[in-house]
Amino acid sequence: MGGEAGSAAAVGAEGRVKSLGLVFEDERKGCYSSGETVAGHVLLEAAAPLTLSALRLEAQGRATAAWGQGSGAAPAASSEVEYLNVRLSLREPPAGEGVILLPPGKHEFPFRFQLPSEPLVTSFTGKYGGIEYCVRAILERPKVPEQSVRRELQVVSRVDVNTPALLTPVLKTQEKMVGCWFFTSGPVSLSAKIERKGYCNGEAIPIYAEIENCSSRLIVPKAAIFQTQTYLASGKTKTIRHMVANVRGNHIASGSTDTWNGKTLKIPPVTPSILDCCIIRVDYSLAVYIHIPGAKKLMLELPLVIGTVPYSGFGSRNSSVASQFSVDMSWLTLTLPEQPEAPPNYVDVVSEEEFSRHTPLYPQPPSCLEEACYPMFACIQEFRFQPPPLYSEVDPHPSDVEETQPVSFIL
């Protein structure tokens, strides 16, 4: 702070530059992506006539990884990769002239440049390195140290979770025998599944798990999201792993089972996955594990990708389900005839042997007429195998009682 104040006092003593600033065209825009345009103004206020050698703009972006101390001031391990290098001249002397004379007052110098179309790595700051983008305006004056102003540029790489690779479910199963040597108490089995591999910040991950406790101990199921940072420099590697969110289940007694039918774990605001940088990598995983007293915990780690384009719900998974449904229903068009056929006569589907077996012969009484004195069972058997009567909307036997009976509705 003391050095910055001394520099400002020296500039004030010259009575030349009152302020130097840099603003973006859209200050509400939080981040940029590959191919987008960055625009803004450099603001310069002069207290008196100002002589300039040049006013230029630089946009730079690079990933750096370093740690340890070498023999000198340089770190023992370091590496660097450049992603952005843009240089613009905002004001330069005319041909044949070495300086520019600006009148006192406020001056604005617009700038505009486009980020590279190839994917840029997401901005990141970690313990052993980071990925940083910035825009800097540099003011050069004769016989005076250059003065600059710097603004950080947040860049986010596009990671779409709707890609087929990130929409596939992830499932793992593992079993652990609790105890040591011949003092075993029984196995503990764990099966865990998530519906897809890709999620975004703020989403809640439904976890499906089945836990079976055949041991003699009281166990506790848990789940957590872990972030793993990997740095590579001078052929050496540094890894940092920490938990960013967790959830806890209920205790499971000996001989009992428990099921997580979509237990949710919300993703906090974290850096999206960084998978395309050769010296810095940020990975995530969902760990479902069992805490077993007196034994090493049983853990399943499911790979997880934190993206930037949210799940739309209309990915390839839904389309495959729809196509499967259409295939499953296609058999209807192959079996249904164009015009329905009439049902067969009951007599046609019954053999003569069965018909004769269910039709006993009864002798007719000599004193009765043939039609009036036929046994009742024989009448039933006669109509047993006959087709039903034809349907008609007109009652062939109307009843006067039904027609004249009043009808009422209870409201």
Side-chain angles (χ1 to χ4, degrees), residues 132-152:
E132 186 181 52
Y133 300 84
C134 69
V135 179
R136 192 162 68 110
I138 304 170
L139 178 65
E140 297 180 0
R141 294 184 293 164
K143 301 180 181 180
V144 177
E146 66 181 27
Q147 187 177 354
S148 65
V149 58
R150 180 180 180 277
R151 289 287 302 273
E152 186 177 356

Side-chain angles (χ1 to χ4, degrees), residues 246-390:
N246 65 328
V247 67
R248 178 191 180 105
N250 298 323
H251 291 79
I252 303 176
S254 175
S256 301
T257 60
D258 190 16
T259 301
W260 286 3
N261 191 18
K263 190 177 187 66
T264 57
L265 177 57
K266 189 174 181 180
I267 304 174
V270 293
T271 301
S273 298
I274 299 177
L275 310 174
D276 50 359
C277 180
C278 58
I279 63 173
I280 297 178
R281 186 179 178 93
V282 178
D283 295 282
Y284 292 91
S285 63
L286 174 66
V288 182
Y289 55 98
I290 306 296
H291 177 72
I292 307 172
K296 188 177 180 180
K297 60 187 174 183
L298 172 62
M299 176 180 288
L300 294 178
E301 277 203 73
L302 309 179
L304 196 64
V305 174
I306 306 299
T308 58
V309 181
Y311 175 61
S312 63
F314 298 97
S316 59
R317 183 182 176 190
N318 286 6
S319 61
S320 63
V321 172
S323 62
Q324 182 181 0
F325 177 78
S326 63
V327 170
D328 293 343
M329 297 299 292
S330 62
W331 63 273
L332 289 175
T333 60
L334 300 176
T335 56
L336 286 179
E338 295 182 357
Q339 294 183 355
E341 300 177 357
N345 193 315
Y346 288 171
V347 178
D348 297 337
V349 298
V350 177
S351 63
E352 294 182 358
E353 296 178 359
E354 185 178 358
F355 183 83
S356 60
R357 188 167 56 251
H358 293 284
T359 308
L361 298 177
Y362 290 91
Q364 296 187 13
S367 60
C368 296
L369 298 176
E370 181 180 358
E371 297 178 356
C373 297
Y374 203 81
M376 180 62 68
F377 186 76
C379 294
I380 295 176
Q381 292 296 328
E382 179 182 354
F383 290 98
R384 177 177 179 179
F385 301 107
Q386 296 300 317
L390 298 176

Side-chain angles (χ1 to χ4, degrees), residues 33-232:
S33 298
S34 302
E36 291 188 341
T37 299
V38 181
H41 293 80
V42 175
L43 307 178
L44 172 63
E45 185 177 1
L50 187 64
T51 302
L52 300 181
S53 299
L55 178 62
R56 68 179 191 271
L57 187 84
E58 294 181 354
Q60 296 178 337
R62 59 174 56 91
T64 57
W67 62 84
Q69 294 293 332
S71 56
S78 65
S79 58
E80 182 176 310
V81 178
E82 185 177 77
Y83 292 108
L84 178 65
N85 189 357
V86 176
R87 297 176 184 270
L88 300 175
S89 177
L90 303 183
R91 196 67 183 269
E92 58 183 5
E97 300 183 14
V99 294
I100 307 168
L101 184 61
L102 290 181
K106 296 181 179 180
H107 303 272
E108 291 188 7
F109 303 93
F111 66 86
R112 180 180 296 268
F113 64 92
Q114 189 174 14
L115 296 175
S117 57
E118 57 268 13
L120 294 175
V121 183
T122 300
S123 301
F124 173 74
T125 301
K127 181 176 181 180
Y128 297 109
I131 304 165
E132 186 181 52
Y133 300 84
C134 69
V135 179
R136 192 162 68 110
I138 304 170
L139 178 65
E140 297 180 0
R141 294 184 293 164
K143 301 180 181 180
V144 177
E146 66 181 27
Q147 187 177 354
S148 65
V149 58
R150 180 180 180 277
R151 289 287 302 273
E152 186 177 356
L153 191 69
Q154 289 290 333
V155 172
V156 174
S157 178
R158 179 183 173 89
V159 180
D160 191 352
V161 302
N162 297 282
T163 58
L166 300 185
L167 289 178
T168 55
V170 184
L171 171 65
K172 285 188 178 182
T173 302
Q174 191 174 352
E175 184 178 273
K176 178 182 178 64
M177 184 65 67
V178 178
C180 59
W181 297 96
F182 51 86
F183 297 103
T184 57
S185 62
V188 175
S189 62
L190 170 63
S191 176
K193 173 187 174 182
I194 53 177
E195 295 176 328
R196 47 191 165 96
K197 187 178 179 181
Y199 290 86
C200 290
N201 284 335
E203 280 194 272
I205 305 177
I207 305 172
Y208 300 88
E210 294 181 359
I211 307 104
E212 185 177 4
N213 183 14
C214 296
S215 70
S216 60
R217 307 179 188 182
L218 187 68
I219 63 175
V220 183
K222 300 178 181 179
I225 298 176
F226 287 94
Q227 181 194 75
T228 304
Q229 304 173 14
T230 305
Y231 303 87
L232 179 63

Side-chain angles (χ1 to χ4, degrees), residues 8-26:
V11 172
E14 292 288 335
R16 301 294 186 183
V17 178
K18 190 173 182 180
S19 64
L20 180 65
L22 191 154
V23 295
F24 293 121
E25 193 174 80
D26 187 2

